[in-house]
Amino acid sequence: MSSLQFLSTYRETSEEFFTKFFKEKKKEAKKIDPLTLDAVKKLEAYIQGGKKVRGALTVLGYKALGGKSQKNIIPVSVAAEILHSSLLIHDDFIDHDEVRRGKPTMHKVYSKGKSDHYGASIALIVGDMGLFLGHNLVADSNFDSKRILKAISELDRLLVNTAYG
């Protein structure tokens, strides 16, 4: 299988999982508050599309080390995409970026018709929400509990190192 075929197949599989995952999160958010639902929808839209290289690399690394279960690794690979996008939401605010992936950045979306402070505040919360959702996907994955704990420990170390940067 060529790399382009692998990416295409991965993108299709991951998008299917991603869509089901966010459908459930929107159902949960709807029960909470309209702003919560809007935030989940905006996070979903922000992450959709793209090449999904990080998630694909997660799958490739897993397979390179002998992993066999596509069903188990897909949620973890989607977590990588959600986590990365969430960090970008924070980064866009920090760097005062106005456009990401050809669309207004999250803080600019939420600033429209409101204050810059409001937009930044909600964008940071949306970014945090994505970090927590990604973390939950890893924690709730179907791997052995020792592997999950090790993965979460490594994930947290990487997130701390990102904050240090």
Side-chain angles (χ1 to χ4, degrees), residues 97-161:
D97 291 328
E98 296 188 10
V99 176
R100 168 75 63 183
R101 300 173 180 154
K103 300 181 234 175
T105 56
M106 194 67 69
H107 65 280
K108 286 297 177 185
V109 167
Y110 277 107
S111 293
K112 192 170 184 171
K114 306 269 186 179
S115 70
D116 287 343
H117 177 77
Y118 178 85
S121 298
I122 301 300
L124 291 174
I125 290 168
V126 172
D128 287 350
M129 179 178 54
L131 293 174
F132 304 141
L133 290 173
H135 204 274
N136 283 150
L137 277 170
V138 174
D140 294 342
S141 66
N142 289 322
F143 290 101
D144 171 81
S145 60
K146 286 184 181 180
R147 287 181 188 239
I148 292 171
L149 189 57
K150 188 173 181 180
I152 288 173
S153 179
E154 182 64 18
L155 172 62
D156 289 346
R157 187 186 65 75
L158 290 169
L159 289 171
V160 168
N161 284 340

Side-chain angles (χ1 to χ4, degrees), residues 60-117:
L60 283 175
Y62 170 72
K63 288 183 175 189
L65 294 171
K68 305 266 187 258
S69 175
Q70 180 87 349
K71 180 182 156 213
N72 287 357
I73 195 61
I74 290 298
V76 176
S77 72
V78 169
E81 293 291 340
I82 293 171
L83 289 160
H84 181 257
S85 290
S86 297
L87 290 170
L88 290 177
I89 291 169
H90 290 167
D91 184 68
D92 288 341
F93 166 67
I94 292 165
D95 292 345
H96 302 283
D97 291 328
E98 296 188 10
V99 176
R100 168 75 63 183
R101 300 173 180 154
K103 300 181 234 175
T105 56
M106 194 67 69
H107 65 280
K108 286 297 177 185
V109 167
Y110 277 107
S111 293
K112 192 170 184 171
K114 306 269 186 179
S115 70
D116 287 343
H117 177 77

